[in-house]
Amino acid sequence: MNDKIKRIGVLTSGGDAPGMNPCIRAVVRTGLFNGCEVIGIRDGYAGIYTGEFAPLEARHVGGIIQRGGTVLGTARCPEMFEEAGQQKAAAILRGEGIDALVVIGGDGSMRGALALAAQGVRVLGIPGSIDNDMWGTNMAIGVDTALNTLCDAIDKLRDTASSHRRAFLVETMGRNCGYLALMAGVIGGAEVILIPEAPSSVEAVAESLVEAYQRGKTHSIVVVSEGANVKVAELAARLDELDVGFSTRMSILGHIQRGGRPSAFDRLLATRLGVKAVDALLAGGSEVMVGLRGRDIELVPLADVVSKPREANLEYYEMAKMLAF
Ligand code: ADP
Ligand code: F6P
């Protein structure tokens, strides 16, 4: 048993992601198994300032493995951006006797974790964000479930698009990262994919749609990442003016992508990451994030996570274009 860490804090931060709950369960039960006390902190970093600390027992995390969202709640917390706020948070954690903190969240949350490490807090990050925009892990918790949701949505939109001979513009989330849109486009059989990493134009999209129409397609699916240079509303308005053959409709999928029961993949990933995070803390690790690298869960420095860019794999982009023929 580890003789240094007695009390582990755990919080979820940033946008929620399906799979955060099985991850919390894994962190809590691995901590308890190793003789530690595990303290749940509500509403992300905000809960540190508002003093929302509560011990989590094994039964508190029962029946949550299949639930979307996060039972700890999450938030965006401006105080953490200031050094004074970071110092205050570290002091509060020390005052609560918390020896180490597990942060489940996206890249912003990892920046927060790194800032707390600079104030002397032992921190371990776990990637949870549907955007899949983080360096250091092939997949973050929630991405697979969001992709399944997108796949289902696109299948449904294609049914109606085909019936009416329409082009459907489908906007996905992802902030400045095109991963969700790109993969959704590939698995949904999209005719056109617009992502920030491959800028395009309304004219280029119109041309692709005209060609698809002339090839006898009964529908066209255009997947647009929210961060793409061409915005979905602008595209819809302009395509209505141009004669591309298809009539057009748009669908902004929004927060539907963030909800729902975590997929089998996300539950397994979340569980493996949660267990590894606590094991790593107890083995003396800090300022690292657990990530899926190949088939293995590995530790990557938080400093790398927040500074290294995650490149888009444009092979998928070319592949989708070829297969849209
Ligand atoms: P995500 O973790 O999903 O990327 P955000 O980017 O909104 O979500 O970040 C979540 C929270 O993490 C922020 O509200 C803030 O409290 C903290 N955070 C984000 N960036 C920083 C930063 N540069 N320094 C300190 N804390 C940060
Ligand atoms: O980071 C996850 C995410 O869902 C992004 O894809 C999106 O841009 C953002 O969060 C939406 O944030 P909010 O829930 O604050 O509207």
Side-chain angles (χ1 to χ4, degrees):
M1 200 189 91
N2 158 68
D3 59 356
K4 289 198 192 116
I5 295 182
K6 295 272 183 244
R7 186 177 273 194
I8 299 173
V10 58
L11 59 82
T12 49
S13 166
D16 65 339
M20 283 182 163
N21 282 331
C23 189
I24 294 166
R25 170 181 177 271
V27 168
V28 170
R29 292 194 177 164
T30 307
L32 295 175
F33 179 82
N34 284 284
C36 299
E37 199 182 352
V38 184
I39 307 293
I41 302 170
R42 281 206 60 84
D43 301 336
Y45 293 117
I48 299 178
Y49 302 103
T50 53
E52 302 244 25
F53 299 92
L56 292 172
E57 303 300 339
R59 296 286 72 75
H60 292 139
V61 292
I64 67 169
I65 199 166
Q66 79 288 6
R67 284 170 59 189
T70 159
V71 293
L72 285 177
T74 184
R76 297 200 163 92
C77 171
E79 258 183 292
M80 273 294 290
F81 287 99
E82 307 296 334
E83 198 179 345
Q86 296 156 9
Q87 281 170 354
K88 186 174 169 189
I92 295 171
L93 290 169
R94 273 193 292 275
E96 291 289 325
I98 290 177
D99 308 309
L101 180 67
V102 175
V103 175
I104 308 168
D107 61 334
S109 303
M110 296 306 124
R111 284 175 207 282
L114 192 59
L116 289 179
Q119 301 298 333
V121 180
R122 290 174 77 163
V123 288
L124 215 304
I126 304 183
S129 161
I130 64 163
D131 298 341
N132 220 25
D133 55 353
M134 301 164 79
W135 185 90
T137 188
N138 301 345
M139 294 286 273
I141 295 169
V143 177
D144 182 70
T145 307
L147 278 179
N148 280 295
T149 301
L150 280 164
C151 194
D152 186 47
I154 292 172
D155 287 351
K156 287 175 174 158
L157 292 172
R158 190 193 294 94
D159 287 346
T160 174
S162 276
S163 308
H164 288 266
R165 214 175 173 108
R166 279 176 173 155
F168 250 93
L169 317 179
V170 187
E171 188 190 274
T172 73
M173 280 189 165
R175 258 192 217 181
N176 302 317
C177 174
Y179 184 92
L180 271 187
L182 182 53
M183 294 305 161
V186 172
I187 61 182
E191 275 64 33
V192 180
I193 301 172
L194 298 176
I195 53 173
E197 297 88 343
S200 186
S201 65
V202 173
E203 290 67 33
V205 177
E207 199 179 314
S208 299
L209 294 185
V210 168
E211 285 168 12
Y213 190 82
Q214 287 170 350
R215 289 199 303 276
K217 290 213 172 197
T218 54
H219 60 261
S220 266
I221 301 292
V222 181
V223 179
V224 187
S225 173
E226 67 174 334
N229 69 316
V230 178
K231 299 297 170 201
V232 77
E234 168 201 359
L235 190 58
R238 189 74 185 107
L239 289 177
D240 271 347
E241 290 163 13
L242 300 169
D243 182 15
V244 293
F246 302 106
S247 58
T248 55
R249 291 289 188 274
M250 70 170 171
S251 181
I252 296 173
L253 299 178
H255 290 80
I256 292 224
Q257 294 161 89
R258 287 239 297 260
R261 296 166 65 230
S263 65
F265 179 93
D266 272 329
R267 291 184 204 193
L268 188 57
L269 178 65
T271 301
R272 292 177 74 199
L273 291 173
V275 170
K276 179 76 177 189
V278 175
D279 283 349
L281 269 179
L282 298 180
S286 181
E287 281 190 65
V288 287
M289 184 185 85
V290 283
L292 178 66
R293 321 261 289 167
R295 291 182 176 191
D296 299 323
I297 305 296
E298 293 179 6
L299 302 177
V300 290
L302 275 176
D304 286 347
V305 174
V306 304
S307 63
K308 295 193 173 180
R310 187 185 172 114
E311 309 288 346
N313 185 346
L314 294 179
E315 276 177 35
Y316 284 106
Y317 186 77
E318 296 306 326
M319 190 170 85
K321 251 196 210 170
M322 177 186 75
L323 296 177
F325 188 74

